[in-house]
Amino acid sequence: MKIFILYLTLYLIAINLVTFILFWKDKRRSKRDAWRIPEKTLLIFSVVGGSVGGIIGMKVFHHKTKHLQFSLGLPVILLFQVGIAAVAFFKFG
């Protein structure tokens, strides 16, 4: 079980870092009028565990803050993920 927690922790660090970088790159590209990262991609990375990185990226870079699917959606995704983690912890922990 400890090795699973280690791998899960490493995964969450990595996916949140990648999601944060994607928000940074998309913001940078929006300023340069370059090809953008699709919103669907940003949301998928948030759903698969990068919601914290997405929220931090959104706040730090002031990016997607006026889009309801991000400003409301990412916190809802995070709450859902925390709920799943809590259920898993109490059931299997």
Side-chain angles (χ1 to χ4, degrees):
M1 185 65 163
K2 287 184 181 185
I3 193 76
F4 172 75
I5 300 224
L6 173 65
Y7 285 139
L8 181 61
T9 302
L10 292 174
Y11 170 77
L12 289 173
I13 290 169
I15 194 69
N16 279 285
L17 184 60
V18 168
T19 306
F20 180 81
I21 290 169
L22 286 174
F23 271 79
W24 169 66
K25 283 187 165 201
D26 191 51
K27 177 64 174 191
R28 200 171 89 197
R29 289 175 180 178
S30 73
K31 287 182 177 181
R32 297 179 179 176
D33 202 29
W35 176 84
R36 302 283 301 276
I37 297 169
E39 289 183 350
K40 182 178 180 180
T41 301
L42 297 173
L43 288 170
I44 287 170
F45 273 84
S46 296
V47 166
V48 298
S51 57
V52 172
I55 291 169
I56 293 171
M58 192 172 61
K59 300 289 184 184
V60 168
F61 305 119
H62 304 286
H63 190 51
K64 304 286 186 193
T65 56
K66 293 182 181 177
H67 296 255
L68 199 57
Q69 64 187 11
F70 287 94
S71 63
L72 181 62
L74 293 185
V76 168
I77 291 168
L78 177 60
L79 286 173
F80 184 70
Q81 291 168 338
V82 168
I84 290 172
V87 168
F89 177 76
F90 289 115
K91 183 166 183 151
F92 303 112

